[in-house]
Amino acid sequence: MGKDVIVACDFAGADQVFSFLDLFEGAKPFLKIGMELYYAEGPSIVREIKRRGHKIFLDLKLHDIPNTVKKSMAVLSRLDVDLCNLHAAGTTPMMEAALEGLTRPDGSRPLLIAVTQLTSTDQAHLEEDLLIHQPMEQVVMHYASKAKEAGLDGVVCSPLEAAEVHACCGSDFLTVTPGVRFADGEIGDQKRVMTPAQAKLVGSDYIVVGRPITAAADPVAAYERCVREFVG
Ligand code: C5P
């Protein structure tokens, strides 16, 4: 898979998703389905969106004992998602078990990426809640390296970390980056953002874009602008 724009489908239910997707005539954006929509609608939403011809990043961030994650990943693999994720904090045995569970009898599998540290976690949380005393950047790169060693395909990270992740884990280790805003757009609750064009320059492989597209007056035009800036 090459560089692409992934649209975060952060809607509360199926009706809103399909009204949004119906705006796109012909184009089939790569979509991210998160916990809210998945828990509201269940696997049928994944099947229906696949049936319509979209690629899917199922963003459920698994984190449990290896056996449970392995079996759950096998279920997601049968749902035919293209990309899914877990928390690297689940440790190497969990990541390896996840890969085993995802791998289909014919050897194919969805891509698997890791969350290193959530962007809502800051240095104070690391130290006080998690008893981790290294600087955040070092922690993120360490978790990314462990994900790479376990055989994963990449990480979710800020576009500001993409270049360092590639330097640390190789240029073919995927960086999937949210926190993207148009130069003339609303930033909202995101803190550290880049434009699609800047994310391209720093080497992001996929940008995840929600409200700049879903809340735009013309979502299709906003999506096309994102693709033009990021993919070129
Ligand atoms: O609307 P917006 O473009 O901010 O949406 C970004 C998407 O990426 C949301 O689904 C959000 O939950 C997700 N995300 C993020 N930052 C992370 C991880 C995921 O914004 N570190």
Side-chain angles (χ1 to χ4, degrees):
M1 299 210 276
K3 275 189 186 305
D4 208 350
V5 174
I6 301 180
V7 181
C9 259
D10 294 326
F11 297 106
D15 292 350
Q16 289 150 279
V17 175
F18 296 133
S19 309
F20 172 72
L21 295 182
D22 287 344
L23 299 172
F24 292 81
E25 291 166 1
K28 298 285 179 190
F30 197 144
L31 302 176
K32 178 171 92 70
I33 297 177
M35 287 186 217
E36 181 188 9
L37 183 59
Y38 189 76
Y39 292 149
E41 299 290 346
S44 63
I45 189 81
V46 175
R47 291 195 192 97
E48 178 56 22
I49 291 176
K50 279 303 284 190
R51 197 191 60 73
R52 286 175 172 236
H54 298 266
K55 286 184 177 170
I56 295 181
F57 168 19
L58 191 56
D59 179 18
L60 298 182
K61 302 187 179 73
L62 277 71
H63 188 172
D64 207 318
I65 60 171
N67 186 53
T68 301
V69 169
K70 178 177 168 177
K71 290 181 172 171
S72 306
M73 285 294 185
V75 175
L76 301 187
S77 187
R78 289 196 291 275
L79 267 182
D80 199 22
V81 298
D82 298 278
L83 178 60
C84 54
N85 62 357
L86 48 64
H87 276 281
T91 78
T92 300
M94 190 200 80
M95 291 194 272
E96 290 173 349
L99 277 177
E100 268 180 53
L102 267 188
T103 306
R104 304 182 183 106
D106 67 359
S108 68
R109 64 166 174 80
L111 292 170
L112 180 62
I113 59 176
V115 175
T116 55
Q117 287 291 334
L118 293 170
T119 43
S120 51
T121 304
D122 62 17
Q123 189 70 35
H125 295 128
L126 275 190
E127 298 193 10
E128 288 159 26
D129 293 7
L130 304 178
L131 288 181
I132 296 173
H133 300 291
Q134 272 73 35
M136 177 65 81
E137 295 71 21
Q138 215 172 305
V139 176
V140 167
M141 293 312 143
H142 179 67
Y143 281 33
S145 306
K146 298 309 282 186
K148 161 107 181 159
E149 278 169 39
L152 270 67
D153 303 294
V155 287
V156 185
C157 63
S158 157
L160 294 135
E161 294 160 353
E164 202 179 340
V165 168
H166 281 140
C168 170
C169 299
S171 58
D172 56 352
F173 192 65
L174 300 175
T175 52
V176 178
T177 63
V180 173
R181 291 293 180 263
F182 291 121
D184 52 2
E186 297 277 327
I187 289 185
D189 55 358
Q190 294 282 9
K191 298 275 184 276
R192 302 181 306 147
V193 297
M194 277 194 187
T195 66
Q198 289 166 335
K200 176 182 183 176
L201 282 178
V202 297
S204 287
D205 295 290
Y206 294 89
I207 51 173
V208 177
V209 188
R211 288 159 292 178
I213 294 173
T214 55
D218 184 345
V220 177
Y223 171 71
E224 287 169 351
R225 178 179 174 190
C226 248
V227 172
R228 261 196 321 276
E229 280 194 30
F230 182 65
V231 184

